[in-house]
Amino acid sequence: MNNTIKLGLILAAIGLITTLLYRYVIGFDFMFSWKSGLVSFAISIVITIILARKMLRDPEGERLGYGEAVKKLFIAYLISTSIGALAGAALFSNDQELKETFTELNINAQETGIRMGASLTGASEADIEVEVEKYREGVASGEVQLPPYQYACSNLPLALFSSAVVSIFLALILALFIREKETQYA
């Protein structure tokens, strides 16, 4: 069990370091892009497989079966994602610059979606601008709801629940790569 907790703490530390790098070194545009999620996910998966094979397999004990691998990975990921959610809320919930950038990027993404959708339906450029202006007015008046700031403390219960759901799915999949296969002798 100690190795499971260690694995969770190592994954949490790696997640925090990458988040801080995105925030303070690489920049906001990358931090809130799909590329950031993909890079973080890929790094997390590779590191999890490598570390879990070393830390969770016991060379002197019983072989690590699928069920045991799922259990240990779930606990490690739950520790990691929970620490990540708590640390993100603690570090960034009052970061006004990050909140403004998050809101601005969401508005820009929605405007891009409006433009693309309208152009696919064959709307003229003038009609597209009218729709974009309606959207901007809706945001300004509060009629259009923007996505909640992901690091807000009020989102913490949902973030923790989401982390549990993601943790179980990742554990179910990655346990296939972590478990020890039975050796068959002829």
Side-chain angles (χ1 to χ4, degrees):
M1 188 61 139
N2 284 341
N3 285 342
T4 304
I5 294 170
K6 286 179 190 175
L7 178 61
L9 293 174
I10 290 169
L11 293 174
I14 292 168
L16 288 174
I17 289 169
T18 56
T19 301
L20 291 172
L21 282 174
Y22 292 160
R23 166 62 177 97
Y24 295 108
V25 177
I26 297 173
F28 296 127
D29 290 339
F30 187 74
M31 184 176 183
F32 291 119
S33 72
W34 62 271
K35 296 172 195 168
S36 165
L38 186 63
V39 168
S40 297
F41 183 71
I43 289 171
S44 172
I45 295 299
V46 170
I47 290 174
T48 299
I49 291 172
I50 293 169
L51 290 178
R53 282 185 172 186
K54 291 180 187 231
M55 297 176 78
L56 301 182
R57 290 180 177 180
D58 186 8
E60 297 172 8
E62 293 182 27
R63 80 177 180 84
L64 182 65
Y66 179 76
E68 191 66 21
V70 169
K71 181 177 97 174
K72 289 180 177 185
L73 283 171
F74 173 70
I75 292 169
Y77 265 125
L78 192 60
I79 290 168
S80 171
T81 55
S82 297
I83 289 172
L86 292 169
L91 290 170
F92 303 127
S93 64
N94 294 323
D95 190 334
Q96 199 58 37
E97 183 183 7
L98 193 60
K99 282 182 187 178
E100 289 170 5
T101 302
F102 179 78
T103 301
E104 182 182 312
L105 290 172
N106 274 302
I107 290 171
N108 291 341
Q110 188 64 30
E111 287 179 6
T112 300
I114 291 169
R115 289 179 193 285
M116 288 176 66
S119 66
L120 288 174
T121 62
S124 69
E125 198 59 39
D127 291 339
I128 293 172
E129 288 305 317
V130 167
E131 289 300 316
V132 169
E133 191 56 40
K134 282 183 190 177
Y135 171 73
R136 288 181 187 154
E137 290 172 4
V139 169
S141 68
E143 291 175 22
V144 174
Q145 294 295 316
L146 294 172
Y149 180 56
Q150 69 187 40
Y151 296 111
C153 290
S154 60
N155 288 339
L156 204 48
L158 181 61
L160 293 173
F161 176 74
S162 299
S163 73
V165 172
V166 169
S167 295
I168 193 65
F169 282 118
L170 287 174
L172 288 168
I173 294 167
L174 293 181
L176 294 169
F177 302 100
I178 307 301
R179 69 187 171 113
E180 293 176 283
K181 297 177 183 165
E182 292 183 40
T183 55
Q184 296 184 1
Y185 299 99

